[in-house]
Amino acid sequence: MLRNIDLNEISDGNLYTSNDLVRADCGGCRGCSDCCQGMGDSIILDPYDMDQLYRGTGLKPEELLLRAVDLSVVDGIILPHLKMTGKRDCCPFLSGEGRCRIHAFRPGFCRLFPLGRLYEDGSFSYFLQTKECKKTRRSKIRIKKWLGIPDLPRYEDYVCSWHYLLMDLQAHIERAGDESYQKQVSMYVLQNFYLTPYPEEGFYEAFQERYETCKKLFHLA
């Protein structure tokens, strides 16, 4: 999550929509895999990412957690992230030739890079990170094409819902001030949004049902 950001320090200072052109296209990252290495626990996965990984790899949730995904606490909530592995501390889906083996169903964090999202007033804008990608002479590309996600408006609505739900849950457990309750909420999120499979068709509808149930259960406005 992005808080207290000085855009002039990390970006070109502009905010964008998915219809805007930005200098993000690095020509397929040929000869480079720097952003797939040494990322620690920063590649946080959302429910859509996990669903795509289950389907794309054919792995069950528990298998994915053993092989490629780890858990960490993010602002009080336990969330999954890609697990860096090996001597190079690289993504488990990076090939020996430095190419992404899950490119067609890669996580949203990877799709965005070198873009980021700035959340404000119940929505978000995109911004271009200027100090993260080592590639120079990137060419302009429309953001929606760069992301390559079907039904992007619906995906963006989902991204907003998920982000602000997490913020509400984080505020909720902070007010409660109970460590055991915090763990209970985290396990609920993990089980219901990540480990319980979504239907093959209708991810967004199923997510919305779980979202509304969660809001009611924890009395979130």
Side-chain angles (χ1 to χ4, degrees):
M1 277 168 227
L2 303 170
R3 299 190 180 96
N4 301 319
I5 290 175
D6 185 344
L7 285 177
N8 292 318
E9 291 182 5
I10 63 173
S11 78
D12 59 8
N14 296 318
L15 296 176
Y16 302 96
T17 72
S18 60
N19 286 315
D20 290 323
L21 291 165
V22 296
R23 290 196 180 279
D25 192 350
C26 51
C29 297
R30 286 186 291 272
C32 177
S33 59
D34 284 348
C35 62
C36 304
Q37 302 179 53
M39 298 300 290
D41 59 3
S42 66
I43 306 181
I44 304 297
L45 304 173
D46 64 31
Y48 182 87
D49 294 333
M50 287 288 276
D51 182 65
Q52 291 293 294
L53 286 174
Y54 296 151
R55 298 186 189 287
T57 63
L59 296 174
K60 295 178 181 178
E62 57 272 20
E63 293 174 322
L64 199 58
L65 281 168
L66 281 173
R67 300 186 189 185
V69 173
D70 213 341
L71 302 174
S72 60
V73 178
V74 180
D75 293 336
I77 301 288
I78 298 172
L79 297 175
H81 63 265
L82 284 185
K83 177 168 51 180
M84 300 293 109
T85 62
K87 293 181 179 179
R88 292 188 298 161
D89 192 31
C90 65
C91 172
F93 297 112
L94 190 68
S95 74
E97 292 74 39
R99 308 303 293 169
C100 177
R101 293 188 285 110
I102 58 166
H103 194 264
F105 48 92
R106 65 200 184 279
F109 183 101
C110 307
R111 289 179 181 275
L112 269 173
F113 192 82
L115 299 172
R117 298 189 192 105
L118 177 66
Y119 292 87
E120 292 180 308
D121 304 322
S123 186
F124 71 84
S125 301
Y126 298 98
F127 64 88
L128 178 63
Q129 302 180 77
T130 56
K131 300 179 181 179
E132 300 300 322
C133 179
K134 295 183 179 181
K135 278 284 187 178
T136 58
R137 299 180 182 177
R138 293 194 302 269
S139 57
K140 284 190 175 183
I141 188 169
R142 204 166 301 279
I143 290 177
K144 61 184 177 183
K145 183 177 181 180
W146 178 247
L147 296 176
I149 295 177
D151 199 355
L152 184 59
R154 199 170 192 188
Y155 173 79
E156 291 181 323
D157 286 344
Y158 150 75
V159 165
C160 265
S161 295
W162 178 243
H163 174 87
Y164 289 107
L165 176 63
L166 286 180
M167 289 193 68
D168 287 344
L169 286 170
Q170 288 156 0
H172 174 70
I173 60 176
E174 187 175 333
R175 287 193 299 269
D178 184 323
E179 192 171 319
S180 62
Y181 181 67
Q182 175 181 330
K183 184 176 180 180
Q184 179 184 338
V185 173
S186 285
M187 294 311 296
Y188 175 89
V189 170
L190 191 62
Q191 182 62 51
N192 287 276
F193 287 101
Y194 287 98
L195 301 182
T196 301
Y198 289 84
E200 189 168 345
E201 300 292 336
F203 168 86
Y204 295 119
E205 291 85 354
F207 169 81
Q208 188 65 28
E209 289 180 7
R210 299 180 196 191
Y211 168 86
E212 292 172 1
T213 299
C214 180
K215 298 267 283 189
K216 289 178 182 177
L217 179 63
F218 296 110
H219 307 288
L220 304 176

